Amino acid sequence: MRAPDTPVIVKGEALLAVENVSLRFGGVKALTDVSFDIRKGEVRAIIGPNGAGKTSMLNCINGFYHPSEGRITFKGETRRRMRPFEAARGGIGRTFQNVALFKGMTTLDNIMAGRFLKMRSGFFWQLLRYGPAMREEVEHRRFVEDIIDFLQIQHIRKTPVGKLPYGLQKRVELGRALAMEPELLLLDEPMAGMNLEEKEDMSRFILDVNQQYGTTIALIEHDMGVVMDLSDRVVVLEYGRKIADGTPEEVKRDQRVIDAYLGVAH
Amino acid sequence: MTPQAARDDTFPKLIATAARIRPGRTAIRHKDLGIWQSWTWEQVHDNVRAYAVGLSALGLQRGDKIAIVGYNRPRLYWTMAAAQWLGAIPVPVYADSVADEMAYVLDHAEVVQAAVQDQEQVDKLLSIADRVPTLRHILYDEERGLRDYDHTHLHPIAEVIEEGRKTLQADPSARAMLGRELAASQGADLAIILYTSGTTGRPKGVMLSYDNVIAAARIGCDFDNLQEGDEIIAYLPIAWVGDHIFSYAQAILAGLCVNCPESPDTVIEDRREIGTTYAFAPPRVFENMLTLTMVRMEDASAFKRRMFHYFIGHANRVGERILNREPVGLKDRLIYRLGDVLIFGPLRNRFGLTGIKVGYTAGEAIGPEIFRFYRAIGVNLKQLYGQTEASVYVTMQPDGEIRADTVGRPAPEVEIRIDDNGEVLYRSPGVFLGYYKDPDKTAETKTPDGFVRSGDAGFFDATGHLHIIDRAKDVGKLRDGALFPPKYVENKLKFYSNIKEAVAFGDGRDFVTCFINIDLTAVGNWAERNNVTYASYQELAGHPLVYDMIERHVDEVNRSLAAEPRMGGAQIRRFLILHKELDADDGELTRTQKVRRGFIADRYEPLIAALYDGSTEADIRTEVTFEDGRKGVIAARVKIRDLKPHPITAPAEGILEAAE
């Protein structure tokens, strides 16, 4: 997928660091003492069997859950109890395992909604659609049209997303996350329920986002082929614990990972 | 036609004239980022000149070939004009060709440069670059994803044009060079090489001169009175002769405005926004629009549905006559007028055909019902018969003489004669120079007196209209001597919206059998309404209820064959529904979506054997190719159905003498 002459992107310093994070719901331990980091510009995969705590981990990163113990540092800043909108404002965008779009709104409006945090003009001016608000709207629309072009969804620009097939809804959701120009993009099973062709398209978009916009990406995915192809580094969770961390090749050879996925005789 | 324009015998000269006589008129539009961007003739002229200088700086010279790959984009059309300005020859290539096909064409044409649309095409070209030793530079239109590529042999078209513009301002010798090169090309020179998709064997490069293309374009413009202010939408492959004539030659000649859609998926929307006045589409496009409408109507409320069927029924009775300006009763006229307000007008608007002056369908036979439907709702749809070798026009339908079953009369300046074996031969100013680097094939196709063998069998009827029944070499005979025109039988089947593709066999056999591909849109919708559950195309295709439905269609086709002169023997006795869609990527269809019969016969040999040995089902394993070139295998057990033939009702002798 990458051109042979593409230089290897030099991955920078850690953009996000997760240190000794544990998460408990009453007696249930969703995460236990997990530590890893995400470096600037990389594609980082989080994998693991069902119930391993992958989505909980993402929820902690974007402030939807608050870790019971441990620290999460984003861009050098540690927040004790960050709220989701603060995470979004700080530059963390995300998509969800089950598509979470405004079903009655069009593709265009959904992606425009992703620009909301970037709007500066006040409610009153926006209501009038006049003056600075209008200029701003034009600017944002242009940005959104770039995304629509990028994701090749021009033909559904004016279609309510509730009417779209699942694969396209996923693409629109990615578009909305991109609209806020995130530094870190969290993708929760971006290819779940897709057919091969849709998966290939989505893989290409993810790589393009990473290379062209330089966005750092953390993704959860079940399709091992996809994970191994896309990601620079992989962290493996099982029963809320980290069992492996490294390049796809290293992880693939790790005996504990093989056991976790194939099961072992007890 | 002004005398000045008559002296312009190449497209660059015509563009220069257009920039002088209609500088401010819009020449081309492209919808980008949701907005229609437009260029006037003056701007087009400036860009083409600058581009020519840029290409020259990259080493393009008179006689060189430059490949053009991609969807319809202004800059790709300008590439043709800029190359022609320098006396180089553009070679448009089908954008969806797999790498192997493309490598063959580029190598055969010895292209030295290639202008492509985007990263996908750049990747494809890079992957075959070692098989095209002459290729030196690749130019691209869209930058996305290409930023990190090695740019020693890769250039954005916009930059090439900009460089050319700077050179043109700074260096008077560049100006002189442009003038020299412009004057050096003559009408008799090779203008373009169009590779035919090739139903059999390798693609052949059809060489057309400026005289050919301009003469053909002029025939079409005069015939339908095309002029400045007419709008067309360019969405068919630029490698196809039709697009070259309509979106390039006629546009430049008559000053049409060419509109390039945003993406292949937005064509219908974009056509609506523009309100094209002149349209061209293969039957498939019209079929799809109608199927979609019918499917949607099934989901509409009962009242709307009844209204729709009432007025469409009325239009089918009188609409065509009204369009032909024949006398129709006042009451019928009034009802039609009401229908026009309530149903037909909105439908035409939906289809983007409101402003249409004339629409053409060609390439394949169109179903009579489909054809009649569009004419009935007031769309002046016509058929024409053409070939790449003729620069399109062979026969056309004049206003008022439009019928679904013929392709019309010989176009102006075209002579036609029917050979002893029924083959249609034609001679016209548009007739090609020859096949590139293939004198043997050229000699086979062109007779010494300048006629071209079309390869199609047909006959003239009593009214002087030409009927095409099939490829001449495809018309076969059953063992008992009965005539078997496979395409004719297949087309009858394909006119049912549930059947997407059909392949009939029977030459030298005892009876006719058939493979059928169901149409997933139509049958899927039917399944939804009838509570038929399915998980895949394969499962739906094998469903007993689907088989029942298709069997009824086949039976109706048999009945109609039985009623036609000499066609009764071609009734289908056994058929099966294929487990996969026929696909150009697997070599089963050509790039223009025509069935490759011989290839399919080889590939599905076990199924054909089963059709003739009386078994009721058969196993088949087929290899399939994905778009990226990887291969997989599909295995299936396919059921076979038998049908009883209808008694032959038509008289033994008929009007098909010409097909003998």
Side-chain angles (χ1 to χ4, degrees):
Chain A
M1 207 160 272
R2 273 175 202 178
D5 50 7
T6 306
V8 179
I9 295 167
V10 185
K11 314 294 178 195
E13 73 283 18
L15 180 69
L16 180 122
V18 174
E19 291 164 87
N20 310 100
V21 163
S22 298
L23 179 69
R24 275 188 301 273
F25 299 107
V28 183
K29 284 179 124 181
L31 294 170
T32 313
D33 197 22
V34 178
S35 304
F36 64 91
D37 64 348
I38 300 174
R39 294 182 202 147
K40 221 180 175 84
E42 75 174 342
V43 178
R44 185 75 144 125
I46 304 174
I47 66 171
N50 280 333
K54 304 183 295 289
T55 302
S56 299
M57 194 65 244
L58 280 201
N59 283 338
C60 287
I61 293 175
N62 87 321
F64 192 69
Y65 292 158
H66 304 293
S68 319
E69 284 155 36
R71 300 191 306 168
I72 297 177
T73 312
F74 179 59
K75 288 198 284 185
E77 204 177 321
T78 309
R79 271 244 167 75
R80 189 65 200 106
R81 291 188 76 83
M82 183 167 56
R83 314 248 293 278
F85 74 86
E86 289 169 340
R89 196 165 280 164
I92 301 181
R94 100 171 262 189
T95 70
F96 296 83
Q97 191 171 353
N98 310 309
V99 177
L101 290 162
F102 306 107
K103 303 269 180 202
M105 279 162 49
T106 63
T107 298
L108 179 64
D109 290 339
N110 265 287
I111 302 179
M112 279 299 265
R115 295 294 289 173
F116 174 73
L117 284 176
K118 302 272 172 192
M119 301 257 185
R120 288 178 305 271
S121 57
F123 176 74
F124 177 74
W125 286 111
Q126 291 194 29
L127 203 63
L128 281 180
R129 298 179 64 83
Y130 182 72
M134 198 62 209
R135 276 197 299 281
E136 214 189 345
E137 174 108 4
V138 168
E139 213 174 277
H140 289 307
R141 174 71 185 267
R142 199 192 145 82
F143 191 88
V144 168
E145 285 291 346
D146 272 327
I147 292 174
I148 289 177
D149 183 58
F150 176 78
L151 295 173
Q152 293 164 24
I153 46 177
Q154 298 99 332
H155 60 296
I156 52 164
R157 186 186 282 126
K158 300 271 170 75
T159 315
V161 293
K163 282 185 166 181
L164 297 175
Y166 186 70
L168 279 177
Q169 292 196 10
K170 282 267 185 192
R171 226 190 273 182
V172 175
E173 203 186 23
L174 176 61
R176 189 181 56 185
L178 286 178
M180 50 176 285
E181 299 172 68
E183 269 176 76
L184 174 63
L185 182 58
L186 310 176
L187 304 173
D188 197 346
E189 298 205 22
M191 329 235 178
M194 286 190 171
N195 64 30
L196 183 69
E197 198 181 334
E198 288 169 332
K199 276 185 189 177
E200 285 178 351
D201 283 349
M202 188 54 99
S203 302
R204 181 150 204 142
F205 289 134
I206 292 174
L207 282 180
D208 282 351
V209 168
N210 177 242
Q211 284 169 11
Q212 205 161 326
Y213 295 105
T215 309
T216 309
I217 290 169
L219 66 94
I220 295 177
E221 186 47 59
H222 272 301
D223 187 323
M224 291 308 279
V226 168
V227 170
M228 296 306 167
D229 279 354
L230 284 184
S231 34
D232 298 307
R233 290 191 305 152
V234 181
V235 51
V236 190
L237 300 179
E238 187 193 27
Y239 299 121
R241 289 170 196 275
K242 182 171 96 170
I243 57 170
D245 190 351
T247 65
E249 284 69 31
E250 290 166 6
V251 166
K252 225 182 315 190
R253 282 196 304 270
D254 193 300
Q255 191 55 42
R256 278 196 297 174
V257 177
I258 296 168
D259 292 346
Y261 268 87
L262 299 179
V264 276
H266 289 289
Chain B
M1 201 63 50
T2 62
Q4 172 62 46
R7 279 205 303 280
D8 295 328
D9 54 359
T10 68
F11 290 107
K13 291 180 196 172
L14 282 164
I15 291 175
T17 305
R20 202 164 54 245
I21 60 177
R22 54 178 93 90
R25 195 169 259 287
T26 306
I28 195 163
R29 293 194 193 98
H30 173 219
K31 193 170 181 184
D32 191 24
L33 299 179
I35 294 172
W36 286 100
Q37 323 274 343
S38 49
W39 292 266
T40 63
W41 284 103
E42 193 171 23
Q43 289 167 324
V44 167
H45 180 234
D46 283 349
N47 281 327
V48 168
R49 278 163 53 92
Y51 196 0
V53 172
L55 286 177
S56 168
L58 286 175
L60 193 71
Q61 291 171 2
R62 185 160 292 274
D64 282 348
K65 318 285 185 301
I66 176 166
I68 299 171
V69 195
Y71 292 124
N72 318 67
R73 291 292 148 88
R75 289 195 184 93
L76 294 189
Y77 287 117
W78 298 344
T79 308
M80 294 188 199
Q84 289 181 337
W85 196 300
L86 298 173
I89 296 115
V91 182
V93 184
Y94 285 95
D96 61 347
S97 306
V98 289
D100 213 27
E101 274 172 32
M102 198 173 282
Y104 172 79
V105 170
L106 298 194
D107 182 43
H108 186 261
E110 297 165 353
V111 301
V112 298
Q113 296 185 5
V116 305
Q117 183 196 344
D118 59 8
Q119 182 192 16
E120 189 183 338
Q121 306 297 348
V122 170
D123 284 350
K124 205 184 274 181
L125 258 70
L126 287 176
S127 77
I128 59 170
D130 54 331
R131 286 147 77 186
V132 189
T134 47
L135 184 63
R136 290 196 298 267
H137 293 284
I138 299 174
L139 292 75
Y140 59 85
D141 187 17
E142 285 172 26
E143 169 126 43
R144 188 173 74 210
L146 288 166
R147 198 170 297 164
D148 298 333
Y149 281 46
D150 173 9
H151 270 66
T152 34
H153 299 283
L154 206 56
H155 318 270
I157 293 177
E159 206 172 273
V160 175
I161 295 178
E162 248 0 272
E163 287 299 316
R165 209 184 303 278
K166 275 184 214 147
T167 314
L168 212 46
Q169 273 162 6
D171 183 3
S173 70
R175 236 165 223 280
M177 182 277 289
L178 279 184
R180 228 174 24 247
E181 294 293 345
L182 182 68
S185 294
Q186 305 299 330
D189 293 347
L190 176 58
I192 190 158
I193 302 178
L194 294 166
Y195 277 78
T196 57
S197 50
T199 359
T200 46
R202 289 292 200 177
K204 293 171 293 195
V206 176
M207 298 189 290
L208 297 174
S209 67
Y210 292 104
D211 285 342
N212 291 152
V213 181
I214 292 177
R218 189 160 289 150
I219 289 173
C221 286
D222 293 349
F223 192 84
D224 287 310
N225 192 23
L226 301 175
Q227 53 204 350
E228 284 181 26
D230 277 322
E231 302 269 350
I232 58 172
I233 191 152
Y235 70 104
L236 291 164
I238 52 173
W240 180 58
V241 66
D243 187 69
H244 189 66
I245 296 288
F246 301 118
S247 309
Y248 185 73
Q250 291 186 336
I252 295 172
L253 192 66
L256 315 178
C257 177
V258 177
N259 298 282
C260 301
E262 192 163 22
S263 83
D265 301 321
T266 60
V267 175
I268 293 186
E269 253 334 276
D270 294 342
R271 183 168 23 218
R272 263 182 76 193
E273 288 177 3
I274 289 298
T276 48
T277 58
Y278 178 46
F280 197 96
R284 194 170 289 259
V285 171
F286 290 105
E287 265 169 47
N288 285 347
M289 282 202 296
L290 182 56
T291 307
L292 213 64
T293 309
M294 289 306 184
V295 166
R296 291 244 177 95
M297 277 322 296
E298 292 293 338
D299 294 335
S301 69
F303 176 69
K304 283 183 185 160
R305 206 162 50 226
R306 278 179 53 191
M307 201 165 81
F308 177 81
H309 286 299
Y310 172 77
F311 283 110
I312 292 296
H314 183 74
N316 274 331
R317 277 198 308 283
V318 303
E320 176 119 43
R321 296 202 332 254
I322 290 174
L323 190 64
N324 288 347
R325 298 176 198 283
E326 289 168 31
V328 174
L330 181 66
K331 185 181 159 212
D332 280 342
R333 268 183 194 282
L334 287 176
I335 297 178
Y336 185 84
R337 187 65 59 79
L338 184 64
D340 197 48
V341 174
L342 293 174
I343 302 284
F344 317 141
L347 261 184
R348 287 198 304 269
N349 184 24
R350 264 269 139 220
F351 295 145
L353 299 173
T354 302
I356 207 89
K357 207 153 82 176
V358 56
Y360 275 105
T361 158
E364 288 267 351
I366 188 167
E369 292 80 17
I370 299 165
F371 191 65
R372 213 167 292 134
F373 173 85
Y374 285 99
R375 293 194 55 82
I377 64 166
V379 177
N380 188 14
L381 188 62
K382 295 178 176 186
Q383 294 195 79
L384 71 75
Y385 169 64
Q387 289 196 320
T388 308
E389 286 84 349
S391 313
V392 179
Y393 301 105
V394 179
T395 66
M396 302 169 89
Q397 297 183 318
D399 282 320
E401 288 184 48
I402 288 143
R403 287 155 50 193
D405 58 340
T406 84
V407 291
R409 297 175 181 283
E413 299 175 58
V414 178
E415 296 167 72
I416 296 185
R417 85 173 182 233
I418 309 279
D419 213 4
D420 296 335
N421 65 354
E423 186 169 354
V424 177
L425 279 75
Y426 57 83
R427 182 165 68 182
S428 79
V431 160
F432 71 129
L433 300 174
Y435 294 116
Y436 185 57
K437 295 202 294 193
D438 200 346
D440 294 346
K441 270 268 163 20
T442 309
E444 246 172 66
T445 312
K446 264 177 130 170
T447 63
D449 56 347
F451 275 85
V452 177
R453 301 191 159 277
S454 68
D456 289 325
F459 62 94
F460 281 105
D461 64 13
T463 60
H465 278 237
L466 184 68
H467 294 243
I468 297 291
I469 53 170
D470 208 335
R471 300 291 295 170
K473 62 171 174 34
D474 285 346
V475 177
K477 283 205 162 76
L478 298 181
R479 201 166 282 167
D480 61 3
L483 212 55
F484 167 60
K487 187 95 133 292
Y488 192 70
V489 175
E490 288 159 10
N491 283 338
K492 274 184 179 292
L493 287 166
K494 280 160 65 180
F495 296 155
Y496 292 93
S497 60
N498 291 323
I499 298 177
K500 185 167 189 192
E501 206 58 75
V503 192
F505 305 96
D507 191 26
R509 306 265 194 178
D510 290 328
F511 51 85
V512 177
T513 60
C514 187
F515 288 174
I516 283 170
N517 250 187
I518 55 169
D519 186 302
L520 191 58
T521 317
V523 179
N525 185 274
W526 166 88
E528 211 171 277
R529 281 180 288 113
N530 289 279
N531 289 326
V532 172
T533 53
Y534 63 97
S536 64
Y537 182 87
Q538 188 172 342
E539 194 180 331
L540 185 65
H543 200 282
L545 286 174
V546 172
Y547 258 89
D548 288 346
M549 178 170 67
I550 298 296
E551 184 175 338
R552 283 195 296 279
H553 293 335
V554 176
D555 190 56
E556 280 168 40
V557 166
N558 280 349
R559 184 176 306 143
S560 92
L561 283 171
E564 284 176 33
R566 304 189 55 192
M567 291 292 152
Q571 292 185 56
I572 298 156
R573 302 292 179 88
R574 286 163 68 78
F575 78 92
L576 59 81
I577 300 179
L578 280 181
H579 57 291
K580 73 175 271 292
E581 282 186 284
L582 297 176
D583 195 326
D585 284 346
D586 295 331
E588 295 158 338
L589 302 177
T590 66
R591 288 287 153 204
T592 45
Q593 307 287 313
K594 290 181 189 158
V595 166
R596 293 174 68 185
R597 198 179 313 279
F599 182 85
I600 293 174
D602 287 347
R603 186 177 168 97
Y604 295 100
E605 212 287 317
L607 290 184
I608 296 179
L611 280 170
Y612 285 100
D613 70 8
S615 42
T616 55
E617 53 182 21
D619 288 316
I620 180 78
R621 285 170 62 82
T622 40
E623 199 173 65
V624 292
T625 313
F626 300 110
E627 275 203 348
D628 60 359
R630 282 184 300 121
K631 293 186 190 305
V633 172
I634 300 186
R637 169 160 293 182
V638 181
K639 283 170 283 187
I640 298 174
R641 285 271 177 109
D642 286 274
L643 284 109
K644 255 214 248 343
H646 290 269
I648 294 170
T649 53
E653 58 191 280
I655 51 161
L656 277 170
E657 285 114 7
E660 281 278 58

